[in-house]
Amino acid sequence: HVQLVESGGGSAQAGGSLRLSCAASGYTARRSYCMGWFRQAPGKEREGVATIYTGDGSTYSADTVKDRFTISQDNAKNTLYLQMNSLKPGDTAVYYCAASDKFLECGLGKNTDFGYWGQGTQVTVS
């Protein structure tokens, strides 16, 4: 059973940076996962931010964050990261880490079923 714990959220000024971390445990050995970051702002639907396929490190980012946010992984530490640069007030949200072991294609679309979620971490940009 995969467990995910996010950290690194907080407050930042517009134009600043934050790095989120997601510590994962309970992985099935020798299995590849699709890992992702999502966010949800008050009164808005949850939005996919970025994904990474643990098998080969290939990534995908939403247009809204492309060139500003970078998803990465440290397989030795079983940790997922989201480096967020050039932050905007519109990036304010609760950010969630998610994992999937059921996917046809690792991404933010319907071909990936994210069945494991962290508790979320608040990011506030002013």
Side-chain angles (χ1 to χ4, degrees):
H1 181 70
V2 177
Q3 293 183 311
L4 305 169
V5 179
E6 302 98 333
S7 61
S11 298
Q13 292 188 338
S17 300
L18 285 173
R19 188 176 80 156
L20 304 183
S21 300
C22 173
S25 61
Y27 280 156
T28 299
R30 297 182 297 279
R31 185 169 196 170
S32 296
Y33 291 79
C34 180
M35 304 294 295
W37 286 100
F38 293 78
R39 65 185 183 184
Q40 188 165 21
K44 294 187 177 182
E45 293 187 354
R46 188 175 62 199
E47 173 190 19
V49 175
T51 60
I52 187 166
Y53 174 52
T54 64
D56 62 8
S58 56
T59 63
Y60 173 83
S61 297
D63 289 341
T64 52
V65 303
K66 198 168 292 184
D67 299 328
R68 298 190 300 122
F69 292 7
T70 302
I71 188 171
S72 63
Q73 62 180 354
D74 185 331
N75 288 335
K77 296 181 179 180
N78 281 345
T79 301
L80 179 72
Y81 301 101
L82 184 68
Q83 178 66 44
M84 305 185 293
N85 299 328
S86 302
L87 284 164
K88 304 175 181 179
D91 295 320
T92 295
V94 177
Y95 283 71
Y96 298 91
C97 172
S100 172
D101 55 8
K102 298 178 182 178
F103 54 95
L104 297 176
E105 179 181 6
C106 182
L108 298 173
K110 295 181 178 180
N111 287 331
T112 304
D113 178 13
F114 287 95
Y116 306 99
W117 293 84
Q119 81 288 353
T121 185
Q122 176 70 46
V123 171
T124 302
V125 184
S126 58

